[in-house]
Amino acid sequence: MLQITPDEGQKEVRAGSLAVLDLGSGTFRLVLYGYEPGRSFQLLDELREPVALGEGLARGRLAPEALERGRKALRAFASFLRAVGPEEVLALATSAVRDAGNGGEILEEARRLGLPLRVLSGEEEAGLGALAVANALPLPEALVVDQGGGSAQVSLLRDRRLLWGAALPLGALRLTEAFLPSDPPAKGEVRALEREVARRLRALPLEPGLPLVGLGGNLRAIARLHQKRRGYPLDLLHGYYLPKEGVEELYEELLSLSLRARAELPGLQPDRARTLPASLAFLRALLARARAQGFWVSGVGIREGALFTRLLPRPHLLEDPRAFAVENLFLRYPFSEAHRERVKALALGLFQGLEPLHGYGAEERRLLLEAAHLHDIGMRLGYREHHKHGAYLVLAEPLFGCTHREQALLALLVRYHRRGKPEAGAYQVLFQRGDRKRLQRLAALLRLAEMLERTRSGRVRRVGVELGERVRLVLKASEDPWVERLEAEKQAGLFREAFGLGLELAWEG
């Protein structure tokens, strides 16, 4: 059976708390995590300040106004940390502090406030972003690009390990200051920017054809705009694929808009409006150089990379990111583990016994067991409608290692584990061929398993499957499981729709 629950020895590990300060050239962020090493983590709080510290970086020195905004944000962060008192603080500075002639002024302010600020090298910054991607996206090989305000980090992942990483002076704010003085940008300015990006990228040993992963606030903002225009059914950026054609459409439209018009775009944070044209031009040149047909969005970056260095021993890689994510969600909204394991065992028995009818393999088996692992998480919000609560929780945030299609299927299985006709609804656009029937059959199996454990007492120890003109389920139990039989028999209609055969149940003592 799929092993999702961690080893027993890990349960003795003491929980900790970690604050990560990410002092970017565009935005300062403070994130607070709670975690148990090797087992789980949770984002507890977050502060965001649009500092634009990198203002002036194209000329070699940070503007006085930018330094003052940086000092103000640091004072706010220090006050928050004094009040909250996390066990550990990791304060990380990036391109603006690293490259500017007067970046040391931010270091001095941090020291005065008692913040242990560390300036990351370009390679270290690239490595943390790549580590986060390796643990969060189902892409063992990828070209990872993280565009911040001052620099862009480019990394190559192979077998989920960093081969090389480099930082280039191609941040959105730096490029805006250096190349795009006009509002809206002039075509000649944009062409000059794209030539500079192409020149810098030519110095790197890029491998055409690899999946391209983009991270950083502006690249995510571009993907969010594309999602909204498509009417995308999931409110998830992590794992979203933005095709090259979508980038071209946004490029043509947004580069013709004034700053004021860009700031009013639905779904765009106003502080990103100034630098978004530079990011679109950067992205267009990157896609051409990498010969990529689009890019995958990563919702994680150096902050999560820093967390993984505390959560996991070297090389800080999750053995199975998807299994970790499912268990992490369960630990946040737990229900009876004994009931969970009995439902999983019954679901697996049904899946195996009915294999001649459905012909499914490892992918469907895993999805069914994951849904059984999570089916009752909605009980943490209340019994009534807990199947709907559970589906909401499955979709509330990214599940590492899952595609959007897989996450939607998982949520729908949780949604229909106790009642209702399994339907894709708005998520139909994410489905592949055969997924409607796949949803219907797996939901039928999960619901039968839940009904055979309806009293949550373990009376049905296991189930046998006999195939013929009808499917006969033989319930192994020491006494007649009357309630379980009654509730399971009510699912005969769903079973017939899913498998095309009638259903009968019998008790065997």
Side-chain angles (χ1 to χ4, degrees), residues 70-83:
R71 294 188 188 99
K72 183 178 178 181
L74 284 177
R75 289 194 291 271
F77 287 0
S79 176
F80 181 86
L81 292 171
R82 284 195 298 272

Side-chain angles (χ1 to χ4, degrees), residues 24 35 47 100 119 159 174 214 276 317 327 354 389 396 442-443:
Y35 71 100
L47 299 179
V119 181
D159 295 327
R174 186 183 292 201
L276 207 62
L317 289 173
E327 175 66 6
L354 292 165
H389 301 327
L442 295 182

Side-chain angles (χ1 to χ4, degrees), residues 40-60:
S40 66
F41 77 91
Q42 182 177 358
L43 176 64
L44 302 176
D45 210 339
E46 181 175 13
L47 299 179
R48 178 184 186 273
E49 291 294 332
V51 172
L53 183 67
E55 184 180 328
L57 190 56
R59 298 181 294 276

Side-chain angles (χ1 to χ4, degrees), residues 324-475:
F324 174 89
V326 169
E327 175 66 6
N328 195 52
L329 184 58
F330 172 81
L331 291 171
R332 195 174 307 170
Y333 307 104
F335 58 93
S336 166
E337 292 188 25
H339 171 67
R340 180 195 71 191
E341 293 305 308
R342 288 193 291 265
V343 171
K344 287 170 68 175
L346 290 167
L348 181 60
L350 291 167
F351 182 86
Q352 292 173 333
L354 292 165
E355 193 275 335
L357 297 184
H358 58 66
Y360 293 149
E363 178 191 353
E364 291 84 3
R365 179 182 185 274
R366 177 170 193 163
L367 193 59
L368 177 63
L369 291 178
E370 288 170 337
H373 200 86
L374 298 174
H375 73 280
D376 269 351
I377 59 172
M379 291 282 284
R380 300 298 291 185
L381 305 184
Y383 173 77
R384 297 189 184 278
E385 305 291 291
H386 72 266
H387 53 300
K388 296 180 182 178
H389 301 327
Y392 165 79
L393 294 174
V394 171
L395 292 175
E397 59 188 49
L399 288 180
F400 292 170
C402 278
T403 66
H404 284 190
R405 166 188 167 266
E406 290 164 342
Q407 193 164 346
L409 279 168
L410 182 56
L412 289 168
L413 288 174
V414 171
R415 164 66 178 82
Y416 292 112
H417 84 270
R418 61 191 293 257
R419 65 173 60 164
K421 181 180 179 180
E423 295 177 332
Y427 307 127
Q428 178 67 43
V429 296
L430 305 175
F431 275 20
Q432 297 176 357
R433 184 177 180 180
D435 277 349
R436 292 180 66 182
K437 180 60 72 174
R438 191 171 283 110
L439 168 64
Q440 189 180 55
R441 287 175 169 174
L442 295 182
L445 299 184
L446 180 58
R447 193 181 301 179
L448 278 172
E450 173 77 342
M451 295 306 126
L452 294 177
E453 172 56 9
R454 187 63 183 84
T455 61
R456 297 172 176 260
S457 64
R459 286 200 300 194
V460 178
R461 299 188 304 273
R462 63 184 183 278
V463 58
V465 179
E466 298 176 359
L467 302 180
E469 293 183 359
R470 297 167 61 85
V471 172
R472 187 168 186 262
L473 302 184
V474 181
L475 312 185

Side-chain angles (χ1 to χ4, degrees), residues 245-258:
E245 296 77 17
V247 175
E248 290 290 339
E249 291 172 9
L250 290 168
Y251 174 92
E252 293 295 334
E253 179 182 344
L254 269 63
L255 267 69
S256 67
L257 298 178
S258 68

